[in-house]
Amino acid sequence: MAKAVKQPASEPEKIVLAIDIGGSHVKILSSAGGTERRADSGPGLTPQQMTDAVKKLAEGLSYDVISMGYPGPVTHNRPLTDPANLGKGWAGYDFTAQFGKPVKVVNDALMQAIGSYEGGRMLFIGLGTGLGAAMIVDNVAQPMELAHLPYKNGKSFEDYVGERGLEKRGKKRWRKYVFDVVDRLRAAMQPDYVVIGGGNVDKLDELPADSRRGDNTRAFEGGFRLWRDKALIV
């Protein structure tokens, strides 16, 4: 009788702690379940204050790896520049060393885009304190720094459709500019569909054509997928 070959035990799935850094709050959620936990952020928030706040928020949670959505450009798992809406000291900050766990850092719009992706060519627009954008084409995820490109009257896209534009021009005009910006980006990027997320998407009664409403909580799903989706190329 042939001797049975012992199969190697499958490696247990890593528990991911997803961190979403925003202009008003830092939010965390574990892939093991539970509820979202949050702390205030704001224009003076430094990376050290953020890591200290997350460690406190995560007390009692067990996790193996970390995903982080950062509000700015990222290279080699570290912020490339300081964010426009937070404090100083983020550029080049080593989060892996600070947390003592493996960390994947991506642009915050990209993390929410990954959590919203359903295949094909997707353009993601994040309407929040600033303007986030990302494109995913056949599982290849690419952040896009469009916020500060020129748009009208010497001002950028973000000046018109970010939080400042909403406060300055009012909801009615802001909505008109959102539709125009989405139309321009769709014409340039040729996506199959557009997902509009970020905190201010709730201020849109209607959406542009071929668009669907995103949800900030999808950022956590994106953080989990960064470690778990083997088809994803970031």
Side-chain angles (χ1 to χ4, degrees):
M1 185 175 176
K3 188 176 180 181
V5 177
K6 187 177 180 181
Q7 296 295 324
S10 59
E11 185 179 338
E13 195 166 53
K14 289 182 171 65
I15 298 175
V16 184
L17 182 70
I19 306 170
D20 185 17
I21 304 169
S24 55
H25 293 95
V26 175
K27 296 170 284 188
I28 70 170
L29 186 69
S30 167
S31 63
T35 57
E36 174 191 305
R37 302 180 183 186
R38 60 170 58 193
D40 292 337
S41 61
L45 187 75
T46 67
Q48 187 62 57
Q49 290 170 340
M50 189 281 298
T51 54
D52 290 344
V54 167
K55 288 175 183 178
K56 189 170 183 180
L57 287 174
E59 285 178 358
L61 297 178
S62 176
Y63 54 95
D64 304 303
V65 294
I66 296 171
S67 294
M68 185 180 300
Y70 172 75
V74 173
T75 181
H76 305 305
N77 272 339
R78 298 187 188 187
L80 184 61
T81 61
D82 287 340
N85 302 305
L86 298 175
K88 302 298 183 184
W90 296 82
Y93 194 82
D94 188 347
F95 292 103
T96 297
Q98 286 296 317
F99 282 105
K101 304 268 188 181
V103 180
K104 289 186 178 181
V105 186
V106 296
N107 172 264
D108 58 345
L110 183 63
M111 195 160 88
Q112 191 174 152
I114 290 167
S116 307
Y117 183 59
E118 294 179 356
R121 296 173 58 90
M122 183 195 76
L123 171 64
F124 176 86
I125 303 292
L127 302 173
T129 307
L131 172 67
M135 188 88 183
I136 305 181
V137 179
D138 298 334
N139 289 307
V140 179
Q142 178 64 47
M144 296 189 295
E145 289 298 322
L146 304 178
H148 304 294
L149 294 179
Y151 175 48
K152 287 179 181 289
N153 303 316
K155 301 290 186 180
S156 68
F157 284 116
E158 184 171 283
D159 288 324
Y160 277 82
V161 300
E163 187 74 39
R164 289 191 304 272
L166 175 61
E167 292 172 355
K168 181 177 180 179
R169 298 177 179 87
K171 194 181 292 184
K172 185 175 180 180
R173 291 177 68 197
W174 174 81
R175 287 171 175 166
K176 184 185 80 168
Y177 288 122
V178 169
F179 270 62
D180 183 56
V181 167
V182 171
D183 284 346
R184 289 170 185 245
L185 295 178
R186 181 192 291 110
M189 308 297 176
Q190 297 291 299
D192 299 324
Y193 59 102
V194 179
V195 175
I196 303 176
N200 284 335
V201 70
D202 293 340
K203 295 180 174 66
L204 294 175
D205 292 336
E206 299 177 359
L207 296 179
D210 300 319
S211 300
R212 65 176 173 83
R213 200 175 296 273
D215 186 321
N216 274 355
T217 61
R218 302 304 296 177
F220 295 126
E221 175 62 26
F224 304 154
R225 287 185 185 180
L226 278 173
W227 287 97
R228 294 179 168 183
D229 188 343
K230 303 304 182 187
L232 185 69
I233 301 171
V234 180

